[in-house]
Amino acid sequence: ASRVSQEIAYEFYSSHQREQNLEQLVLEDELIQALEESWFRVFYQPKIDGNTGAIVGAEALVRCQHPQKGLLPPAKFIPIAEATGLIVPIGLQVLEQVCQDQKQWNNLGLSPLKIAVNLSPLQFRQANLDQTIANLLSTHGLMLLPNFLELEITESCLIANVPRACEILTSLANLGITLAIDDFGTGYSSLEYLQVLPVNVVKIDQCFVRGLDTNPKNASIVKSVIQLCHELNLQVVAEGVETVTEARFLQNLGCDQLQGYLFSRPVPESEFYQFCLDWTASEVPELSNLLPDF
Ligand code: C2E
Ligand code: MG
Ligand code: MG
Ligand code: MG
């Protein structure tokens, strides 16, 4: 390339960089404003029992209700929140909201559901995480319901220091909290984790679930993971279930829980509550229709 075109390329690159940094700064400022002005919303996506078709829980998924830009998905703000450390207070707001919603559903007479909250690696490494969570539960009068809280961590929380991760997880398990490994199979998966860590649940990543019924490699992987987990006394959740054939396939493999757009997208609290009422009231005909094997 000529020198001129190199210079032009450099100019282009640096102005692009500047724009990116500026955008990052704006976003960081906005995240602080979002924390102060309560722009964060917790959406819920149900998890369905693979045997009975009952709703057994839900995953809490954060969104940001931006006054100008509309509803932002995590992909738009979690990376910056992670990079700046703001994920810690954001994560705390999510946990608080989940406790409030649990309490409200409890008051409305809904039988308690296990709600899974995603923990960022930074949150996971906060000192006294167990104390913070214990305080939250007791503040919301949920001390008797700790087994209705589940925490999802990714393998990136575990790689740096397995003994330390084990300590943190043990302190959380001692509170009665259920622990899940999220996106299983995409990170530096090590079978050692399954052997030494006090986890209860493994969530198979959607990339293995997608097209499971037509992709023999995915089918083999999912089948083996389910078998291995069951031998280790771990529950298996399949995420990203989108089609009836995928669901039926997973059901036949003995997958414990199914989660995905097939059943519901993540929805706001009130919509989720209504979804639970309808699902129970109709004694899951939706699922019987979808999955005649039930
Ligand atoms: P994740 O924990 O693996 O969550 C599953 C993601 O898959 C969610 O995306 C969910 O909406 C999406 N999903 C569920 N079913 C289907 C399906 O059938 N098809 C497809 N294509 N997608 C499906 P979402 O809500 O955009 O969240 C993305 C990621 O952001 C999450 O992945 C999680 O890593 C992170 N995240 C979300 N909420 C929180 C939070 O409160 N704290 C932290 N630290 N991270 C969060
Ligand atoms: Mg998750
Ligand atoms: Mg996941
Ligand atoms: Mg994921």
Side-chain angles (χ1 to χ4, degrees):
S2 77
R3 190 173 171 161
V4 171
S5 70
Q6 267 178 11
E7 271 167 18
I8 290 169
Y10 175 73
E11 268 298 293
F12 175 77
Y13 175 75
S14 60
S15 75
H16 179 68
Q17 277 285 92
R18 257 200 307 275
E19 253 167 52
Q20 274 216 325
N21 292 341
L22 196 65
E23 204 183 317
Q24 288 229 347
L25 279 178
V26 170
L27 255 164
E28 187 180 343
D29 262 5
E30 286 185 337
L31 286 182
I32 293 169
Q33 197 181 354
L35 275 165
E36 286 167 352
E37 298 179 1
S38 307
W39 295 356
F40 294 106
R41 302 280 177 274
V42 177
F43 279 34
Y44 295 94
Q45 186 180 35
K47 295 183 186 176
I48 307 297
D49 187 302
N51 293 310
T52 66
I55 301 172
V56 280
E59 178 171 7
L61 294 154
V62 70
R63 274 93 182 90
C64 180
Q65 184 64 62
H66 191 287
Q68 283 89 43
K69 299 176 188 168
L71 195 67
L72 304 177
K76 290 267 192 244
F77 60 90
I78 294 266
I80 292 151
E82 287 272 1
T84 55
L86 289 168
I87 191 65
V88 174
I90 293 172
L92 198 60
Q93 282 197 359
V94 171
L95 279 164
E96 265 166 0
Q97 189 62 55
V98 167
C99 287
Q100 276 174 32
D101 290 342
Q102 276 283 27
K103 223 179 149 185
Q104 195 193 332
W105 297 328
N106 197 39
N107 291 341
L108 289 166
L110 197 71
S111 36
L113 291 172
K114 188 166 281 192
I115 304 298
V117 176
N118 293 283
L119 272 195
S120 92
L122 214 58
Q123 258 181 305
F124 184 72
R125 287 196 299 268
Q126 290 292 298
N128 303 327
L129 175 66
D130 56 336
Q131 200 50 55
T132 305
I133 290 177
N135 289 343
L136 259 176
L137 290 173
S138 87
T139 304
H140 291 85
L142 296 169
M143 228 27 206
L144 293 174
L145 293 174
N147 46 338
F148 295 107
L149 180 61
E150 177 169 329
L151 296 173
E152 295 188 3
I153 58 164
T154 54
E155 288 156 314
S156 51
C157 292
L158 308 174
I159 43 171
N161 187 343
V162 173
R164 177 72 193 123
C166 198
E167 272 173 33
I168 299 171
L169 289 170
T170 304
S171 69
L172 295 169
N174 287 341
L175 291 175
I177 292 167
T178 302
L179 300 165
I181 298 186
D182 203 355
D183 303 343
F184 186 75
T186 58
Y188 297 87
S189 309
S190 162
L191 298 180
E192 184 200 4
Y193 301 152
L194 301 185
Q195 185 205 15
V196 300
L197 299 174
V199 292
N200 319 92
V201 177
V202 164
K203 296 189 79 176
I204 303 180
D205 193 75
Q206 6 189 320
C207 69
F208 304 111
V209 173
R210 191 70 25 78
L212 167 91
D213 44 310
T214 51
N215 181 330
K217 284 188 182 165
N218 278 6
S220 304
I221 290 169
V222 172
K223 187 178 171 187
S224 311
V225 170
I226 292 174
Q227 202 177 348
L228 174 71
C229 287
H230 283 172
E231 275 167 26
L232 295 171
N233 247 325
L234 295 163
Q235 296 235 26
V236 184
V237 181
E239 55 178 32
V241 181
E242 289 186 353
T243 69
V244 177
T245 39
E246 285 165 3
R248 206 176 278 131
F249 204 95
L250 288 159
Q251 194 198 5
N252 288 333
L253 291 179
C255 190
D256 302 286
Q257 292 175 24
L258 314 180
Q259 178 186 349
Y261 292 172
L262 173 64
F263 307 105
S264 168
R265 287 186 176 252
V267 291
E269 180 276 324
S270 59
E271 242 176 274
F272 175 69
Y273 176 71
Q274 194 55 49
F275 181 87
C276 292
L277 292 185
D278 294 346
W279 193 267
T280 310
S282 56
E283 287 172 19
V284 294
E286 289 91 343
L287 202 66
S288 336
N289 285 338
L290 291 170
L291 309 170
D293 288 349
F294 278 110

